[in-house]
Amino acid sequence: MKQHLSFIKKEILHIVRDWRSVLILLGVPVVLLLLFGYAVSTEVKNVRVAVLDYSHDVVTMRICDRLSANDYISLVSAPAGIGGVDELFRRGGADVAVVFGHGFAADLLHGGGAAVQVLVDATEPNQATMRQQYVSRVVAAALQDAGRGMTEASVSGVTPVTRILYNPQQKSEYNFVPGVIGMILMLVCVMMSSISIVREKETGTMEVLLASPLSPAVIILSKLVPYFVISAFNVATVLVLSRCVLDVPVAGSLWAFLGITLLYILTALTLGLLVSCLVRTQVAAMVVSMLFIIPTVYLSGLAFPLESMPEVLQYLSAIVPARWYIDAARRLMIQGVEARYILSDVWPLLVMEAVLLAVSLKKFKIRI
């Protein structure tokens, strides 16, 4: 029994001395609980609504006040015309647009067919449905309040007309395919690059490579090139399958999509290089690489909308590369935007790539 307790003590000390194991064993459950408790939410929050008001009468102003007063709705800058609404959607500046026709109050009063339209960005089908229903209910309730004093028939006869943009069939594949591409590339690239370099350390061949005339930076970056090519081939395969099997097209610029995808691959490979500089074994590299699945799924907008998360998690998601790539991929594949509309997603990836590369080369040890 004494020998058994001694062995247990030895094993506990072995675990405690490895801070990485302690972090994984004790930290991961806490992170998962917090993410599931706060990040995983299907509740409609912070619906960004743009109002295009051709009438500018007292009724439309009251409806706008009702929308603005709602805790879950935030009014964005009013577009000048229907083209401005499309511009807002393409820039990702609005989720829903409410359009009031000319002479809205007069038509409402005389029963002349007052026109109100609700336009919804259906890039994310599930959220689009909830946002449409929520805004339509708020508009309908505001119409009832604004229409007091008018005939009941004139108010009850007004029904907001809804239009679903960019994904009228509301196919879930349109939403998940860009996100799945981002998750696959992040996992595969980080794991491949980190394990490849750590394997050289474990087998002792890294010393031979460092003794060559080439600089350590050139050696490490050269090892990443084959995985960059393999990842590019994986992207081509995924695009063909998504188009031919899932019927998910690239509605925007294919070259812009390939450009930001290659930048994302380079960022993921560099992240794997940083992992390889911080761990010593292939098992540790694989475990750390698998941990990147958590932020990629929960903090990138892949499965759950960022707008429904607390502000702390929204700020934290800014350091997740998949957040920027998935947002750009959805715009290019579903909305069909031009390259200039994804510049806000490109520069964070460029900054991440520069920082990760600098830190990785700084941390890389030229002596084994």
Side-chain angles (χ1 to χ4, degrees):
M1 183 63 180
K2 184 178 181 179
Q3 292 178 345
H4 181 61
L5 293 176
S6 299
F7 188 80
I8 293 175
K9 180 181 178 180
K10 187 272 296 182
E11 191 65 23
I12 293 175
L13 292 175
H14 179 73
I15 295 175
V16 172
R17 287 169 182 168
D18 186 1
W19 64 270
R20 297 181 184 87
S21 299
V22 175
L23 182 62
I24 293 173
L25 292 173
L26 301 181
V28 171
V30 175
V31 172
L32 288 176
L33 178 62
L34 292 177
L35 286 177
F36 273 101
Y38 290 100
V40 180
S41 174
T42 57
E43 185 179 1
V44 176
K45 294 181 180 180
N46 192 27
V47 182
R48 298 168 299 170
V49 178
V51 178
L52 176 57
D53 189 359
Y54 288 112
S55 183
H56 296 288
D57 53 49
V58 63
V59 176
T60 58
M61 290 178 62
R62 288 179 182 175
I63 296 175
C64 290
D65 291 340
R66 180 69 174 266
L67 290 170
S68 179
N70 193 284
D71 294 334
Y72 296 101
I73 291 178
S74 58
L75 295 183
V76 298
S77 56
I82 196 65
V85 173
D86 186 64
E87 180 78 10
L88 270 177
F89 281 140
R90 291 180 180 275
R91 287 193 292 105
D95 304 309
V96 180
V98 179
V99 182
F100 295 103
H102 295 281
F104 185 83
D107 290 339
L108 188 65
L109 178 61
H110 300 96
V116 55
Q117 192 175 44
V118 177
L119 308 178
V120 185
D121 179 3
T123 305
E124 301 177 27
N126 295 331
Q127 286 295 311
T129 301
M130 298 177 65
R131 289 166 180 161
Q132 176 263 320
Q133 294 175 351
Y134 193 74
V135 173
S136 296
R137 285 198 297 265
V138 174
V139 171
L143 278 171
Q144 292 291 336
D145 293 342
R148 289 175 181 173
M150 301 179 183
T151 63
E152 185 68 22
S154 64
V155 176
S156 61
V158 179
T159 302
V161 178
T162 303
R163 283 186 58 197
I164 307 297
L165 304 180
Y166 309 120
N167 184 14
Q169 297 85 6
Q170 295 184 282
K171 293 183 178 180
S172 59
E173 303 89 71
Y174 280 35
N175 179 41
F176 281 105
V177 166
V180 170
I181 294 176
M183 182 181 66
I184 292 174
L185 291 178
M186 175 57 65
L187 179 61
V188 173
C189 292
V190 172
M191 187 176 298
M192 286 192 307
S193 59
S194 62
I195 292 178
S196 171
I197 296 173
V198 173
R199 186 190 303 119
E200 300 281 1
K201 296 180 182 180
E202 280 191 325
T203 57
T205 55
M206 182 60 74
E207 293 181 349
V208 179
L209 294 176
L210 294 176
S212 66
L214 298 176
S215 66
V218 173
I219 293 174
I220 297 303
L221 294 178
S222 299
K223 287 183 67 63
L224 297 181
V225 171
Y227 298 107
F228 184 84
V229 175
I230 293 173
S231 299
F233 178 78
N234 287 336
V235 171
T237 303
V238 170
L239 283 179
V240 171
L241 289 176
S242 64
R243 183 66 183 92
C244 298
V245 178
L246 299 176
D247 197 26
V248 179
V250 179
S253 171
L254 178 61
W255 293 110
F257 178 80
L258 293 177
I260 194 170
T261 300
L262 294 179
L263 174 60
Y264 178 69
I265 290 173
L266 188 60
T267 304
L269 289 174
T270 309
L271 184 58
L273 173 61
L274 178 60
V275 171
S276 69
C277 296
L278 300 177
V279 300
R280 297 181 180 180
T281 64
Q282 296 183 59
V283 175
M286 184 175 297
V287 171
V288 174
S289 301
M290 294 294 291
L291 291 178
F292 286 105
I293 295 180
I294 298 175
T296 301
V297 172
Y298 296 106
L299 296 180
S300 65
L302 166 62
F304 309 101
L306 296 175
E307 296 82 4
S308 300
M309 300 179 185
E311 289 189 7
V312 175
L313 292 180
Q314 293 185 35
Y315 289 127
L316 185 62
S317 68
I319 63 174
V320 179
R323 168 189 172 174
W324 307 105
Y325 173 74
I326 292 174
D327 180 67
R330 282 174 175 166
R331 294 193 196 183
L332 290 168
M333 295 183 71
I334 302 174
Q335 290 184 317
V337 300
E338 301 174 4
R340 60 190 176 95
Y341 289 102
I342 64 168
L343 292 179
S344 59
D345 298 312
V346 171
W347 72 260
L349 290 177
L350 287 174
V351 172
M352 290 181 191
E353 168 59 22
V355 172
L356 289 172
L357 184 59
V359 174
S360 299
L361 295 179
K362 183 70 175 179
K363 289 289 184 179
F364 182 75
K365 299 179 181 179
I366 61 174
R367 299 180 183 274
I368 305 301

